Amino acid sequence: MKRLFHGNLVLIVVTSLVPGLATADVAQAKVASEPVSAELKSLPRPPSGPVPSRKALKALVEQTAKRYGVEIELVDALVVAESGYDPHAVSPVGAVGLMQVMPETAADYGVNSVEALFDPQTNVRTGVRHLKRLLGQFGIGKAVMAYNAGEGALSRHNGFVTYPETQRYTHRVLSSYLKKKGVSPYSLEARALTGITLTPSMATASATAGGRRTVRQIDPSRLRLRIRPTLSKRALDPGLHSSGPSSQPMFELQQPKPRLKPRN
């Protein structure tokens, strides 16, 4: 339930919540940003036929990372976390391919065909270009968070996304990356390299971790709102309602009466 204020006009809006949906940049988040379930949207269909060997795909990742000046270890860790090197992978929110690129994100890099994202070369090139741009903006640790949750989520969370899935994802990617470089994930060296502080709790972050509240489904049909007008019928006409220091809200909520406990 939301209260929307316009001058002295108070509107009460009741919204239904779909289970599993969270506020976030799920378009990029694959979590975060407004996740859309498979039931609510048509997901891309991978092509039929064999896929390249993992050895060939790793060689492609290395070549593309070198081409764009991004660390091979970081791109490799991200691909493992995103798709496990499956070029036909499709997420529940429509992210596609090896680097789980969203079609909307791909369009920013000139790729306007969802089918093209199933091509490993196109997918990795697009994903690495996007990652490089994030690295230039945020540094390693925050770029990994933004790749998963979206840049908007990073801004809203003051540079450290608290979505449980993003926490687990970031821990997995950065731990793998740091291990390849021979750096302990919880060391000062890791902090200096990634720009964020990894903690063991990030690996097992849940929806209730750190005081984070979970969103429960609400059945609007079970809501009971008691409101009463505070003005005359004439003043209740929005076109006639005037605002000013002495004006009153058009409606107000009535306090529910306390329930009496039955006597034993």
Side-chain angles (χ1 to χ4, degrees):
M1 180 177 70
K2 296 181 180 179
R3 292 186 181 183
L4 303 181
F5 295 85
H6 181 69
N8 290 292
L9 176 64
V10 182
L11 300 179
I12 301 173
V13 180
V14 179
T15 58
S16 63
L17 302 178
V18 179
L21 300 192
T23 59
D25 300 89
V26 192
Q28 175 61 36
K30 301 175 279 287
V31 289
S33 274
E34 293 175 4
V36 182
S37 67
E39 293 79 13
L40 299 181
K41 70 175 292 186
S42 178
L43 297 178
R45 293 186 178 182
S48 59
V51 300
S53 67
R54 187 172 181 120
K55 181 178 180 181
L57 294 173
K58 287 182 71 71
L60 172 63
V61 166
E62 292 180 7
Q63 294 167 7
T64 308
K66 288 179 180 179
R67 176 183 176 185
Y68 290 100
V70 180
E71 290 184 89
I72 295 172
E73 297 88 348
L74 182 58
V75 180
D76 176 72
L78 192 144
V79 172
V80 170
E82 289 286 356
S83 69
Y85 272 92
D86 178 6
H88 288 177
V90 178
S91 81
V93 295
V96 174
L98 289 170
M99 297 191 71
Q100 291 291 274
V101 180
M102 293 295 295
E104 295 84 355
T105 300
D108 292 339
Y109 298 91
V111 180
N112 297 304
S113 167
V114 175
E115 290 74 18
L117 288 176
F118 286 109
D119 171 58
Q121 187 173 4
T122 301
N123 190 284
V124 173
R125 181 176 67 247
T126 305
V128 169
R129 289 179 65 192
H130 183 57
L131 177 61
K132 182 175 182 178
R133 185 176 70 80
L134 296 175
L135 289 168
Q137 284 185 271
F138 305 116
I140 294 174
K142 294 181 180 181
V144 170
M145 284 189 164
Y147 193 94
N148 178 260
E151 299 162 67
L154 198 67
S155 300
R156 289 194 298 273
H157 289 255
N158 297 318
F160 194 83
V161 181
T162 57
Y163 303 143
E165 181 178 331
T166 300
Q167 292 271 303
R168 297 190 299 269
Y169 172 89
T170 301
H171 187 278
R172 182 180 179 186
V173 171
L174 293 184
S175 294
S176 176
Y177 162 71
L178 292 167
K179 182 178 180 180
K180 295 175 188 295
K181 298 181 73 68
V183 177
S184 173
Y186 310 127
S187 64
L188 292 177
E189 185 180 0
R191 172 70 174 84
L193 185 61
T194 64
I196 66 173
T197 300
L198 286 179
T199 62
S201 62
M202 291 175 65
T204 56
S206 65
T208 56
R212 181 177 171 82
R213 298 173 59 186
T214 58
V215 178
R216 299 178 59 187
Q217 182 183 8
I218 298 176
D219 181 1
S221 66
R222 301 183 62 184
L223 294 177
R224 297 290 186 272
L225 295 179
R226 297 176 60 85
I227 62 175
R228 64 182 179 187
T230 59
L231 305 175
S232 65
K233 291 183 179 180
R234 181 178 182 278
L236 286 175
D237 183 345
L240 301 175
H241 184 67
S242 61
S243 61
S246 59
S247 64
Q248 296 178 333
M250 297 178 70
F251 296 91
E252 68 178 11
L253 288 174
Q254 290 181 325
Q255 294 292 331
K257 295 181 180 180
R259 294 183 178 181
L260 298 177
K261 295 183 179 180
R263 295 179 180 179
N264 294 330

